[in-house]
Structure formats: structure tokens, C-alpha cells
Amino acid sequence: MGTVKRVRRRGVSALTLLCAMAVLASAPALGLTGTAYAAPGAPTSPAAPGAPTAPEPGTKSLEQVRKEIDELYRQAGTATDAYNQAESETKAQSERVVELAKQVAAGRERITSLKERAGAAARAQYRSSGLPPGARLALSGSPSQYLDGADRLRQGEKATADLLAELNRTQNDLQRYSKDASALWRQLEANRVKKETAKKEIEEKIKAAQELESKLEAEEKARLLQLEQDAQRQAQTAWLSSGVLKEINGAASEAGKAAIRFATAQVGKPYEWGAVGPRSYDCSGLTSQAWLAAGRGIPRTSQEQLRLLPKVAIKDMRPGDLIIYFDDASHVALYVGDGAIIHAPRPGRNITLAGAGSMPIKAVVRPDA
């Protein structure tokens, strides 16, 4: 550990990052890219053999295609977050509707019981010749009976008043429950529409990206992957070159270590939008389940994770923290230390290890602050 700290002070050598790889998983066995978090000065991998030549005039370059595909998948990620949020709200609202339905049923049973009690009191008065309690008391011929009757009269009047008050309260509660349930049903319908809209957008964006990629030859697809890795490497190198890791030396909490262990065990599994495991995950599905495995429930979506979890400065970042990416907070990853993250990138890619600076960072949040 002392060696790692000395290496960090010298600017984070490639050896440090290779150590992080060895701790988490073997890249060839798990399908990691292995180059996304290269340190400054690391050599760029050579272009794929037989890479296509420059495009003819009027056609898109492979780099333009790559950017277009990336943007489509990023838009799909934004729609996925909207879908997941609607799904989460729908679940919470459905549970509340069930709770309200139980309260409505209990309220109706209570009203029936109170009415039966009121009816019994009315029948008892009828059996006593219909005289009101005050009149019966006045006709009493015994002082002791009069006093006893007065006490019973006060008790009876209080019981009647309490019965009527409880009946009114229960009826008011029942009306409120019914009103709340109606409002929730409207919200559920709005969320259903929101989910369907987001689902349609996700499917359209993914289909458009896949169609673009399907038009490429095998060599072009290999080169496309190379361009994607090169772009990530360049972004990571620029991030590391800023000296950011010289200040980042926080140690993971026990919960953070548990979240990292969970996420590491998922490396190699496919990305699937809306998925929360165990066979596949989307980006926030992975981070939320990792922290759930660590004993901390956190919001389901990257946007809600950003909104509700405590924020920390990048220099104070520690393993186990979540890094939120892009201006719209449409992507999230788990920081594992030494400038690396584990994340579920996008459709067509597997959960992998990558550079923390390989995408534009918006914020860092801490589930166990």
C-alpha cells in the first residue's frame, strides 16, 4: 500500500493501474477493454489490421459514424433513466394504492360497526317507552336511584357524543382515502404513459444505432471498436494528466468494499436497459444493486442518485463512491480506486472496468456519507 501511495505522488504510473486490474479481475477472462484507463504516456494500441481508408467525398467517416452511434446510445441511456424513474414511481404508487384500499375497506367496516352501535342505542331507547333519559331521571322516586341515574346519564351522553364524533371522523377519513386513491390512480396512468413513451424512444434509438453498425463491414466494426477505445483512452489520459489523482487518496468504507465486491462479480455480464440483475444490468441497476448488497438502499436511477445522495468533491472521492456522467446525469459508475470504475456501458457491451475520466464527469456522490 505504501508503494501505491508513492507511485500516486509521482503521477500514477501504469503499474498502479495494472495492479487495480489484477485486484478486480483478469481482463482476458472477463472481457475488459484493458486500455480505457491507461496512464498518461501509455502507448496507443495500433489500428486494426486492414482498417478502412478515408471515406469517399459525400460519405460519413468512420469517426463520424462512431460519434453518431455513441450519441444514439447516450440518448437511449437518458430515456432509460426516464423509464426507470417512472417504473420506480409506479411501484411506490401501486403499493400506496394497495395501502389506501385496505384503509378504505377498514373504514367501511368501522362505519358499519358504529352504525350498528348507534342502532342498538336507538332500539334500547324505544324499549324504554321512548322517554328521553332526562325524563326518566326526573320520574325516579329514589334519591339514590336519581344520583345513580344521573351518573349513567352523563356516561350515556358522553358515549353517544363519542360515537357520533368517531363516526364523523371515520367518514371524513374514508373520503380522504378515496380522494387520495383517485389521485394516485391518475398518477399511475400518467406514469404508464411516461414509461411507454420512454420505452418507445429507447427502442428507436437502439434500433437506429444497431442499423448504423449493421451497415459496416467486419473490418470497419473492428476499427469502430478501436476508435471507441481510443477516444476513451484519450479522455482518461487528459484527466490523469491534470494531476487529479495526486489528491485522491481516500480509503473505502466497509460498505464501499462490499459494493465493489458485488460489482466486480458482475464484470462480463451484458448491459440490458431496465435490468437490475442477476443476469444483466443497466448502469444504475448495477450501482443500486451493488449498494443494496452492501446493506444500503439507494435510488434506482442515476438522476435520482445525483439528486438525493450527498455530493463530494472529486479530490475527496474514495472507492465505493458513485460517479455521475454527462450534463443530464444519464450515466453512473462505481469508483473502485486508482482512477478506475466499474460500469455497465451501453447496449451491446458488457459490464467492464474503465477509466474514471473516460467520460465527462458531472458529479460524485456518496451512498454512505
Side-chain angles (χ1 to χ4, degrees), residues 167-317:
L167 182 60
N168 287 333
R169 282 197 306 271
T170 303
Q171 289 175 330
N172 290 336
D173 288 344
L174 191 59
Q175 290 176 352
R176 187 177 73 253
Y177 296 153
S178 299
K179 183 178 179 180
D180 290 348
S182 297
L184 277 175
W185 277 117
R186 289 193 293 271
Q187 292 176 17
L188 279 171
E189 176 60 18
N191 272 330
R192 185 192 67 78
V193 173
K194 189 190 300 181
K195 281 174 57 180
E196 290 300 318
T197 301
K199 179 181 178 182
K200 181 179 179 181
E201 183 176 356
I202 293 166
E203 292 172 342
E204 288 176 350
K205 298 298 183 184
I206 292 176
K207 181 180 179 181
Q210 290 173 339
E211 287 178 350
L212 272 175
E213 199 163 356
S214 68
K215 296 175 182 178
L216 301 176
E217 300 293 337
E219 292 180 352
E220 290 176 317
K221 289 180 180 178
R223 177 59 181 156
L224 188 70
L225 178 59
Q226 185 66 53
L227 289 172
E228 180 183 313
Q229 294 174 352
D230 286 347
Q232 293 172 354
R233 184 185 303 106
Q234 290 168 10
Q236 175 72 354
T237 298
W239 186 68
L240 293 175
S241 296
S242 68
V244 63
L245 285 191
K246 293 178 181 178
E247 296 181 307
I248 301 176
N249 55 12
S253 64
E254 289 304 312
K257 292 176 182 177
I260 291 172
R261 284 195 297 271
F262 179 91
T264 302
Q266 313 313 312
V267 170
K269 293 182 179 180
Y271 176 103
E272 181 183 356
W273 68 267
V276 291
R279 289 184 292 272
S280 58
Y281 299 83
D282 61 22
C283 66
S284 57
L286 175 64
T287 55
S288 61
Q289 291 302 303
W291 271 100
L292 185 61
R296 300 293 180 96
I298 65 173
R300 166 67 177 89
T301 71
S302 57
Q303 292 177 351
E304 287 296 283
Q305 289 168 5
L306 172 65
R307 187 174 72 87
L308 298 175
L309 297 179
K311 298 177 181 61
V312 297
I314 291 179
K315 66 181 181 62
D316 298 324
M317 186 165 60

Side-chain angles (χ1 to χ4, degrees), residues 7-297:
V7 172
R8 282 180 178 166
R9 288 195 293 269
R10 291 198 300 270
V12 187
S13 68
L15 177 59
T16 306
L17 297 179
L18 290 173
C19 288
M21 292 171 58
V23 170
L24 292 171
S26 170
L30 297 175
L32 306 182
T33 63
T35 57
Y37 46 90
T44 301
S45 301
T53 58
E56 297 178 1
T59 64
K60 293 180 181 178
S61 70
L62 199 56
E63 175 63 11
Q64 289 173 321
V65 172
R66 181 194 71 80
K67 289 181 177 179
E68 189 171 343
I69 289 175
D70 282 353
E71 179 60 21
L72 285 167
Y73 278 126
R74 201 180 72 75
Q75 291 173 6
T78 301
T80 296
D81 217 44
Y83 177 92
N84 289 338
Q85 181 64 22
E87 177 73 13
S88 179
E89 290 175 356
T90 296
K91 181 180 179 182
Q93 290 162 355
S94 296
E95 292 172 353
R96 179 61 180 153
V97 165
V98 171
E99 180 184 342
L100 285 171
K102 291 178 180 178
Q103 290 175 325
V104 167
R108 286 174 176 166
E109 290 179 1
R110 184 62 178 158
I111 286 175
T112 299
S113 173
L114 291 171
K115 286 181 176 179
E116 288 176 352
R117 286 171 54 188
R123 289 191 294 273
Q125 182 176 341
Y126 177 78
R127 287 194 295 270
S128 61
S129 303
L131 289 175
R136 294 199 306 273
L137 184 58
L139 294 175
S140 174
S142 167
S144 61
Q145 288 179 347
Y146 180 87
L147 293 175
D148 290 342
D151 184 57
R152 288 195 300 272
L153 176 61
R154 285 192 297 270
Q155 293 176 359
E157 288 175 342
K158 183 178 184 302
T160 301
D162 290 346
L163 178 65
L164 293 174
E166 186 175 357
L167 182 60
N168 287 333
R169 282 197 306 271
T170 303
Q171 289 175 330
N172 290 336
D173 288 344
L174 191 59
Q175 290 176 352
R176 187 177 73 253
Y177 296 153
S178 299
K179 183 178 179 180
D180 290 348
S182 297
L184 277 175
W185 277 117
R186 289 193 293 271
Q187 292 176 17
L188 279 171
E189 176 60 18
N191 272 330
R192 185 192 67 78
V193 173
K194 189 190 300 181
K195 281 174 57 180
E196 290 300 318
T197 301
K199 179 181 178 182
K200 181 179 179 181
E201 183 176 356
I202 293 166
E203 292 172 342
E204 288 176 350
K205 298 298 183 184
I206 292 176
K207 181 180 179 181
Q210 290 173 339
E211 287 178 350
L212 272 175
E213 199 163 356
S214 68
K215 296 175 182 178
L216 301 176
E217 300 293 337
E219 292 180 352
E220 290 176 317
K221 289 180 180 178
R223 177 59 181 156
L224 188 70
L225 178 59
Q226 185 66 53
L227 289 172
E228 180 183 313
Q229 294 174 352
D230 286 347
Q232 293 172 354
R233 184 185 303 106
Q234 290 168 10
Q236 175 72 354
T237 298
W239 186 68
L240 293 175
S241 296
S242 68
V244 63
L245 285 191
K246 293 178 181 178
E247 296 181 307
I248 301 176
N249 55 12
S253 64
E254 289 304 312
K257 292 176 182 177
I260 291 172
R261 284 195 297 271
F262 179 91
T264 302
Q266 313 313 312
V267 170
K269 293 182 179 180
Y271 176 103
E272 181 183 356
W273 68 267
V276 291
R279 289 184 292 272
S280 58
Y281 299 83
D282 61 22
C283 66
S284 57
L286 175 64
T287 55
S288 61
Q289 291 302 303
W291 271 100
L292 185 61
R296 300 293 180 96

